[in-house]
Amino acid sequence: MDPEHRVDTLISRAQLEARVLELGREIARDYQARELVLVSVLKGSFMFCADLARAIDLPLAIEFLGLKSYGDSQVTSGVVQITSDLSRPVAGKDLLIVEDIVDTGYTMAYLRKNLATRGPRSVKLCALLHKPARARVQTAIDYLGFTIEDVFVVGYGLDWGERYRNLPYLGAVVMGDGSAP
Ligand code: IMP
Ligand code: MG
């Protein structure tokens, strides 16, 4: 069983919906007449990507990519592994990585470099969340949903040991003694 904890609402469902619509409009404006491919990073971005895709009024393709970083589940080590790769070549395409959260930045630094070797026309990043307090490497976030404090976030696709991905809002996990997990 999970240790004693609670989940406090951090960003409501209505706030998420409104921000995702804004991001979608901005992206649609920027990518007109381009060959846009959304690259959804699994598993955390599945819900965000599903909503974002519906908010982008343009023809587009969607690809999924599984990434795993070694080390314990809450702290990225910087060593990243692709567990499931794109289903098609992306040479000449405009890639927009869709990620749940940029924390240390290691994962996105790795993925940007990896995708760049495949000859795309462009690679940009759309992240729902950014925790600048924990940044270790700089990665440009071209489209950002929300900047947040250094709390452990769950919901809307993000998990704590695989739990809470299905919450329709974003919450912060708070342990019984008031600390973060
Ligand atoms: P980083 O930027 O390489 O440190 O790693 C980002 C990844 O760590 C994200 O894609 C998430 O999968 C995971 N992660 C980081 N912070 C959180 C959090 O607060 N809640 C849930 N997962 C997180
Ligand atoms: Mg992730």
Side-chain angles (χ1 to χ4, degrees):
M1 273 307 287
D2 289 331
E4 193 204 324
H5 68 280
R6 60 172 208 272
V7 176
D8 291 345
T9 302
L10 189 68
I11 297 172
S12 72
R13 195 171 183 163
Q15 284 174 291
L16 282 169
E17 279 170 9
R19 188 71 189 115
V20 171
L21 287 178
E22 285 173 359
L23 288 171
R25 275 196 292 267
E26 206 183 320
I27 291 164
R29 236 191 2 249
D30 295 350
Y31 283 88
Q32 282 172 45
R34 309 273 292 270
E35 282 197 73
L36 177 58
V37 180
L38 300 184
V39 177
S40 169
V41 182
L42 297 174
K43 300 175 193 172
S45 83
F46 83 99
M47 207 174 276
F48 174 44
C49 191
D51 286 340
L52 183 68
R54 279 176 282 195
I56 302 173
D57 187 13
L58 285 181
L60 56 78
I62 304 182
E63 286 287 329
F64 297 93
L65 192 131
L67 287 182
K68 175 172 111 183
S69 40
Y70 291 106
D72 78 66
S73 59
Q74 278 152 52
V75 187
T76 2
S77 59
V79 183
V80 183
Q81 186 192 5
I82 293 184
T83 54
S84 165
D85 207 351
L86 306 179
S87 70
R88 295 162 171 271
V90 290
K93 312 270 189 195
D94 291 291
L95 307 185
L96 182 61
I97 302 169
V98 180
E99 172 64 318
D100 52 0
I101 181 166
V102 176
D103 187 26
T104 62
Y106 284 132
T107 308
M108 285 305 103
Y110 167 84
L111 184 58
R112 270 177 176 281
K113 251 185 248 151
N114 180 291
L115 292 176
T117 64
R118 307 180 193 204
R121 180 165 184 266
S122 66
V123 181
K124 285 193 175 186
L125 170 62
C126 176
L128 178 65
L129 302 169
H130 183 211
K131 263 192 227 177
R134 288 170 43 91
R136 298 287 294 279
V137 287
Q138 255 350 94
T139 5
I141 303 176
D142 304 282
Y143 303 93
L144 175 63
F146 303 91
T147 298
I148 59 167
E149 300 296 308
D150 187 9
V151 289
F152 195 81
V153 195
V154 292
Y156 199 61
L158 288 94
D159 75 306
W160 181 42
E162 294 303 320
R163 201 172 154 192
Y164 294 123
R165 290 193 198 276
N166 59 330
L167 287 182
Y169 57 89
L170 283 164
V173 178
V174 182
M175 303 310 291
D177 64 2
S179 67

